[in-house]
């Protein structure tokens, strides 16, 4: 396997968006095999409830964190993972997520910012949402079915990522994490209470960090 395939390098399309749908299996496996799975932090842990620090160093330490995040995401059977979900106070998330057409997207975004959508692009999708940091709980949450995130890749290069459907939800969900918001913070008081009840009654299928 060439270095290009193993270091996560990917191309850009004619509109300036990264091409994150090619060699997904090989790229994800390369990240994961270099990484070490870590336990997941859950709601109530202070690192999840504040804005994370910007990534300013794009070197070996960040590369190892990204590898660990892919390993942790795979262990927890997730489709997206933010750094603070493994207790790291940095603005970076990884994803390995299908869109509504079944196309797989795999990548990394540092210092993500959601772009404002034009009114005609703000079509809401009221689907179920879950979170590795709120294990075993799900709730319906309306989000735009299209999202564009700009940020940087693992080497500090500027990138833009776009997604539709389920992948758009993932991009919004993970960006929220890095600014201190869980999806349950966007629910009504009643629905949030119900999600927390589901979490209390369930048993996570992966290792979590106990709060307190």
């Amino acid at each position: 396997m060439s270095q290009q395939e193993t270091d996560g390098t990917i191309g850009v399309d004619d509109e300036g968006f990264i091409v994150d749908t090619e060699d997904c299996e090989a790229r994800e496996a390369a990240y994961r095999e270099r990484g070490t799975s870590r336990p997941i932090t859950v709601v109530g842990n202070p690192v999840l409830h504040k804005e994370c620090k910007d990534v300013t160093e794009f070197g070996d330490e960040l590369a190892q964190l990204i590898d660990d995040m892919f390993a942790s995401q795979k262990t927890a059977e997730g489709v997206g993972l933010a750094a603070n979900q493994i207790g790291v106070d940095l603005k970076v998330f990884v994803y390995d997520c299908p869109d509504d057409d079944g196309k797989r997207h795999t990548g990394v975004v540092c210092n993500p910012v959601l772009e404002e959508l034009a009114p005609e692009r703000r079509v809401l999708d009221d689907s179920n949402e879950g979170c590795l940091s709120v294990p075993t709980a799900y709730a319906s949450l309306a989000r735009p079915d299209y999202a564009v995130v700009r940020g940087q890749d693992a080497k500090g290069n500027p990138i833009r990522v776009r997604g539709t459907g389920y992948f758009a939800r993932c991009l919004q969900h993970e960006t929220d994490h890095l600014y201190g918001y869980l999806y349950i913070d966007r629910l009504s008081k009643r629905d949030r209470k119900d999600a927390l009840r589901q979490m209390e009654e369930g048993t996570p299928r992966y290792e979590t960090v106990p709060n307190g």
Side-chain angles (χ1 to χ4, degrees):
M1 188 178 293
S2 71
Q3 181 61 29
Q4 185 172 7
E5 289 174 315
T6 59
D7 71 1
T9 302
I10 50 182
V12 177
D13 67 15
D14 292 340
E15 296 178 76
F17 293 99
I18 62 166
V19 179
D20 57 5
T21 54
E22 296 179 354
D23 301 318
C24 289
E25 187 170 349
R27 289 190 292 112
E28 187 277 336
Y31 283 123
R32 173 169 42 86
E33 288 165 8
R34 292 189 301 257
T36 301
S37 182
R38 305 192 203 177
I40 304 295
T41 56
V42 296
V43 58
N45 190 304
V47 75
L48 293 175
H49 302 283
K50 62 172 185 161
E51 181 175 345
C52 292
K53 295 173 183 172
D54 289 346
V55 177
T56 57
E57 299 287 334
F58 295 87
D60 292 346
E61 196 171 326
L62 176 64
Q64 186 60 60
L65 170 63
I66 290 167
D67 291 344
D68 290 355
M69 288 172 69
F70 271 103
S72 304
Q73 174 178 257
K74 183 71 171 182
T75 298
E77 299 176 17
V79 296
L81 188 75
N84 53 356
Q85 291 186 272
I86 56 169
V88 178
D89 182 10
L90 277 179
K91 281 187 183 147
V92 54
F93 72 79
V94 303
Y95 59 88
D96 186 24
C97 182
D99 59 26
D100 282 3
D101 295 324
K103 193 168 282 189
R104 183 175 176 180
H105 299 258
T106 304
V108 179
V109 184
C110 301
N111 303 324
V113 176
L114 274 171
E115 294 189 1
E116 285 288 330
L117 296 179
E120 63 270 19
R121 295 309 305 253
R122 283 189 60 84
V123 179
L124 293 182
D125 170 27
D126 195 12
S127 294
N128 250 18
E129 192 159 328
C131 179
L132 298 179
S133 292
V134 192
T136 74
Y138 296 90
S140 181
L141 177 63
R143 289 192 191 263
D145 69 355
Y146 177 76
V148 175
V149 170
R150 68 177 184 273
Q152 293 165 279
D153 66 13
K155 298 184 184 302
N157 302 308
I159 55 171
R160 291 176 81 212
V161 186
R162 63 177 166 185
T164 59
Y166 187 54
F167 181 44
R169 182 175 293 274
C170 175
L171 292 174
Q172 294 168 83
H173 179 110
E174 301 308 329
T175 301
D176 269 357
H177 266 303
L178 300 176
Y179 289 87
Y181 295 100
L182 298 168
Y183 86 97
I184 59 172
D185 296 327
R186 297 189 178 277
L187 300 176
S188 69
K189 196 178 224 179
R190 182 181 68 180
D191 288 347
R192 186 178 194 277
K193 187 175 180 182
D194 181 63
L196 291 172
R197 178 190 56 75
Q198 290 179 55
M199 181 178 126
E200 280 182 21
E201 293 176 354
T203 302
R205 60 186 182 274
Y206 44 83
E207 186 183 359
T208 60
V209 178
N211 289 333

